[in-house]
Amino acid sequence: MRSFRAVLLAALASALSPAPAHADLTGFIGANTSPDNRQVRGFVLGAGLLPVVGFEFEYANTTDDPLAAAPSLKTGMGNVLLQTPFAIMGIQPYFTAGGGMYREELGTHQETGFGLNTGGGAKVSLVGPIRLRVDYRVFKLGSGALVSRAHRVYVGLNLRF
């Protein structure tokens, strides 16, 4: 009975002990495809406190295209990231959702408000702490936005530290 208690206490202590925090930084380039393709650039700073749960902040800036009536879009979003606890054959898939601020501009139109986003992607191991990150997001912007649902896809270099 004593050995059972000792094993149970050791397992409980191991499960409750904090895992080391990991962080990563991604610089990306891609396309915002709504309502027309435009270049988007940005960065993501993330941290994981548990093996499957992480948090990230991202900033992105999409250029405008006045001829296609496609506004510029700047977003600053905070997200929760659910991911596999380790890479599977060098690939770590994830799902993310969150919210934050956006600013949309086209000509004299300017709209600033709160938006939501959901998406997913994968981090692909390249060499050492360097990974390739591929991501797809859907943004739901406020009712005053010219484009209330924006779709974005990007690829970036991710550095884990």
Side-chain angles (χ1 to χ4, degrees):
M1 186 68 161
R2 281 187 180 179
S3 62
F4 176 73
R5 284 185 195 162
V7 169
L8 183 61
L9 285 174
L12 185 60
S14 175
L16 294 177
S17 65
H22 295 285
D24 63 13
L25 177 65
T26 304
F28 65 82
I29 189 166
N32 185 327
T33 63
S34 305
D36 196 41
N37 288 341
R38 288 144 14 253
Q39 185 181 75
V40 61
R41 295 182 190 179
F43 67 90
V44 181
L45 179 62
L49 301 177
L50 299 172
V52 297
V53 179
F55 303 94
E56 64 181 19
F57 169 78
E58 75 158 39
Y59 172 80
N61 186 5
T62 302
T63 58
D64 67 347
D65 184 351
L67 295 177
S72 68
L73 179 64
K74 294 178 182 165
T75 58
M77 299 281 166
N79 297 314
V80 174
L81 190 84
L82 299 175
Q83 61 192 358
T84 59
F86 50 84
I88 302 165
M89 295 180 6
I91 300 172
Q92 186 176 28
Y94 63 86
F95 170 79
T96 184
M101 300 302 293
Y102 74 90
R103 181 169 184 89
E104 182 187 66
E105 295 182 47
L106 182 63
T108 60
H109 169 81
Q110 292 184 12
E111 176 70 23
T112 301
F114 182 79
L116 300 171
N117 76 87
T118 58
K123 298 173 186 175
V124 182
S125 299
L126 295 177
V127 60
I130 300 173
R131 302 182 289 185
L132 179 73
R133 182 170 176 173
V134 180
D135 187 278
Y136 172 76
R137 302 277 170 110
V138 177
F139 294 84
K140 183 172 181 352
L141 306 178
S143 60
L146 295 174
V147 180
S148 61
R149 286 209 187 271
H151 297 260
R152 181 184 76 200
V153 62
Y154 75 70
V155 63
L157 280 180
N158 175 270
L159 175 64
R160 184 175 181 169
F161 51 93

